[in-house]
Amino acid sequence: MGDGAKARRVYEDAVEYLCRNVDAVRELIGPALWDAHFAVVRDAEPATTEWRDSVRALHDAVEAAGIPGGLGLRPTMGVGNWPGVPMPQWPGAPTPQSTGWVCPTRRCARVDLRDGALPDTPTCALADRPMRLVDG
C-alpha cells in the first residue's frame, strides 16, 4: 500500500468512526461546525482536498470537545504497523471474511461483515442509503 493509499485509508477509517457515531458526534460538536462540514463529507468526492479538509475539521472539533484522538486521523504505530508496511499474517490467524456490506458511496472504510443471514440490509448513517453487499 503506497503512502497515498495509506493516507486515504486513514481518512476513510475516520469517516467510518464518524458514521458509526454520527448522532453522538453531532451532539458533541454542535450545529455550527457540524452543518458546515458534514455535508461536504457526505456529498463531496472522496479524497478531494475539500473532503479531506472537512474530515480534518470534524476530527479537530471532536478532539477539541474532549475525545482524545478525535476521529482517529493520527495513526498510532507499533511493531509491524509502520506506514506502508502491511501487517504480517500470523499462522493460525482467522481467515478474513469477504462477504458483507460496504459504504454505498465509498466515503468510508466501514464494513459490516455478514455472519449468517441477516434479515435486513444495514443503512449507511452518512448517506441514508442501503449499504452495498459484497459477496466474496
Side-chain angles (χ1 to χ4, degrees):
M1 185 181 302
D3 288 339
K6 173 78 172 174
R8 167 126 184 201
R9 180 63 185 209
V10 169
Y11 276 83
E12 288 174 350
D13 288 345
V15 175
E16 174 190 355
Y17 178 85
L18 176 65
C19 181
R20 290 189 182 275
N21 299 284
V22 70
D23 293 329
V25 171
R26 181 185 314 125
E27 184 178 323
L28 181 68
I29 66 172
L33 283 169
W34 179 261
D35 292 343
H37 298 289
F38 177 75
V40 175
V41 172
R42 184 190 63 218
D43 299 333
E45 185 66 30
T48 60
T49 301
E50 178 186 31
W51 184 79
R52 284 191 313 270
D53 288 349
S54 287
V55 173
R56 172 64 66 184
L58 290 171
H59 164 83
D60 291 344
V62 168
E63 196 167 45
I67 304 297
L71 298 179
L73 287 182
R74 293 184 181 92
T76 56
M77 293 188 283
V79 175
N81 194 21
W82 299 100
V85 178
M87 290 294 290
Q89 290 298 315
W90 303 107
T95 303
Q97 296 182 23
S98 60
T99 302
W101 286 273
V102 296
C103 179
T105 61
R106 299 179 187 190
R107 282 171 167 67
C108 76
R110 177 180 174 184
V111 175
D112 284 350
L113 296 177
R114 187 166 75 176
D115 226 359
L118 291 179
D120 296 318
T121 300
T123 301
C124 176
L126 295 177
D128 197 30
R129 290 178 26 202
M131 293 183 75
R132 186 170 52 89
L133 180 64
V134 176
D135 206 358

